Amino acid sequence: MNNPSEITVRPARHVRGTVQLPGDKSISHRYAMLSGIAEGSSRLENYSTGADCASTLACMRALGVKWSRIEGPSNTIEVHGSAGSLVAPSAPLDCGNSGSTMRMLSGIVAGQPFTSEMVGDESLSRRPMQRIIGPLSEMGAHIASQDGKPPLNIKGGSLKAIDYKMPVASAQVKSCVLLAGLFAKGETRVEEPLRTRDHTEVALRAFGAELNRKAAGAGSEVRIRGGQRLRGVDARIPGDLSSAAFFLCAAALFPGSQLTIPHLLMNPTRARLLDILMQMGLHISVTQMEEIHGELVGSLQIEGAALHGTTIAGADAAALIDEIPVLAAIAPFTEQGMEIRDAKELRVKESDRIVALAANLRQMGAEVEERDDGLKIPGGQSLHGAQIDSHGDHRIAMAFAVAALRAKGDTQIRGAESAAISYPAFFHTLEELTER
Ligand code: S3P
């Protein structure tokens, strides 16, 4: 029997249908923040339905930004920009489970003439923040933390531009420094060691800011001048590619599957999953490609086929960081298996995803080798239904719901409610697409 925190997933024959995805989580966060500091109002259609993006909106409200939900099916938010005049929050800014909210918003509040306290839930309180405390302190903010972890007390003020070479490839850190750079005196330069998602750069331009970008080795460098004003935009946020990953991988498990996903984000810094799944044997075609406010969007048609194994390492590990959980969950069903390397960042996500993946795969009877920076999962395995522990992590809960479709017997996902962090309707939609 199902209850809100435990959901049973039964084996399937294939997945078929059309799925409209809620707006991309990464873009929703950025649009909520930028529209909040812009001049004029913004209308954000298909805003993410996840709890993380609601945390960002709640923090913006606490900073004095007025916004409202527009009645209707398309989850539209209207934001009245503060034109950069945020107000001191009267209570701690609660980022919930959302690392993106805490890290990116820190960049904005660091540039304000007041003090903000940023707090998060138990999982967020364990996550590393030194990576943003370092550059923001260099820019002139005064930040107190619990040994580099939340809560953060950020005494903002006038910032100075810096030249920052990021030691870890993280789009959140890059975004944090760029957003602080918007409030700093001078030109801030950020260099990333590997190319990470570029939604902040794309969104800043959509909101009217000028920035310079160029390739730098395997990564990129971005420069932004402080003191620029943003203006609001009306936008429809494209479907979330990292949420689509669960259905793509579900389709990949069954040769008879057929899926259509319209209006999906196709940004090249996010779409590596499509190349990898095609290399693994999935048939994917893209139609109706268009560019909306600088983001590529398209309609995807997918047909399942026999699945080859693969290796994910180097730049791919960074590009696929949010999709590795579901790729690992389908790995035992591939012909040659999967090796995942250079993915140590998985250990500091909403859970230690290397531990959570290895433990749950074993729980389903799979053979798996856990390594410091990844996993090795042999192919050609058959799995049985089991009790899965989501570790309170949305992507672990959803990844194992996908693996459960190919297992023998039923699987119970404990902590299934964590899917609501990014995709509240996930289990409902999965059920609708599944044929037994
Ligand atoms: C995100 C960047 C990634 C990703 C996260 C969202 C973003 O985190 O895992 O889910 O929107 O910029 P890191 O920057 O820590 O790699």
Side-chain angles (χ1 to χ4, degrees), residues 25-26 30 100 103 169-172 197 321-322 349 395:
K25 176 162 96 69
S26 291
R30 286 155 172 88
S100 301
R103 296 202 180 111
S170 158
Q172 293 176 356
R197 64 193 73 194
I321 200 73
D322 289 346
K349 294 293 177 186
R395 298 203 198 280

Side-chain angles (χ1 to χ4, degrees), residues 85-282:
S85 310
L86 298 173
V87 300
S90 57
L93 296 169
D94 188 354
C95 304
N97 190 247
S98 175
S100 301
T101 308
M102 187 171 285
R103 296 202 180 111
M104 295 197 284
L105 198 53
S106 290
I108 293 178
V109 298
Q112 311 305 315
F114 51 72
T115 298
S116 308
E117 177 90 6
M118 307 199 77
V119 298
D121 70 4
E122 210 190 313
S123 147
L124 184 53
S125 301
R126 286 194 300 265
R127 297 182 65 186
M129 294 296 149
Q130 194 53 44
R131 49 184 70 189
I132 57 155
I133 296 173
L136 291 178
S137 306
E138 214 184 301
M139 293 176 92
H142 296 277
I143 306 182
S145 68
Q146 306 296 309
D147 249 343
K149 306 222 163 93
L152 303 181
N153 181 285
I154 305 182
K155 187 165 178 291
S158 50
L159 301 180
K160 62 173 195 300
I162 55 166
D163 191 330
Y164 190 62
K165 209 167 169 168
M166 289 165 40
V168 237
S170 158
Q172 293 176 356
V173 174
K174 172 177 63 174
S175 303
C176 169
V177 179
L178 290 175
L179 291 171
L182 200 55
F183 294 95
K185 206 161 173 237
E187 188 184 66
T188 295
R189 177 181 167 277
V190 189
E191 189 180 325
E192 55 181 357
L194 294 171
R195 226 169 146 218
T196 66
R197 64 193 73 194
D198 64 357
H199 303 303
T200 301
E201 297 90 305
V202 172
L204 277 164
R205 281 190 175 150
F207 280 79
E210 275 176 28
L211 47 83
N212 293 311
R213 310 164 60 180
K214 65 175 189 202
S220 73
E221 95 163 32
V222 192
R223 291 168 191 265
I224 188 162
R225 201 173 15 86
Q228 299 190 59
R229 285 147 80 157
L230 307 182
R231 49 167 198 279
V233 300
D234 288 346
R236 177 172 159 78
I237 298 174
D240 193 321
L241 188 51
S242 301
S243 298
F246 299 102
F247 302 125
L248 285 158
C249 287
L253 288 177
F254 306 102
S257 292
Q258 277 180 342
L259 278 183
T260 301
I261 311 183
H263 199 77
L264 188 67
L265 175 70
M266 301 289 294
N267 177 316
T269 61
R270 289 283 295 285
R272 186 73 185 125
L273 175 74
L274 305 182
D275 304 328
I276 295 284
L277 285 174
M278 284 195 283
Q279 282 165 18
M280 290 172 72
L282 192 67

Side-chain angles (χ1 to χ4, degrees), residues 103 290 433:
R103 296 202 180 111
E290 58 180 324
L433 295 172

Side-chain angles (χ1 to χ4, degrees), residues 3 39 91 120 142 197 279 287 298 319 343 364 369 387 400-401 433:
N3 65 44
E39 288 171 7
H142 296 277
R197 64 193 73 194
Q279 282 165 18
T287 56
M364 296 182 85
E369 188 187 322
Q387 284 266 345
F400 282 90
L433 295 172

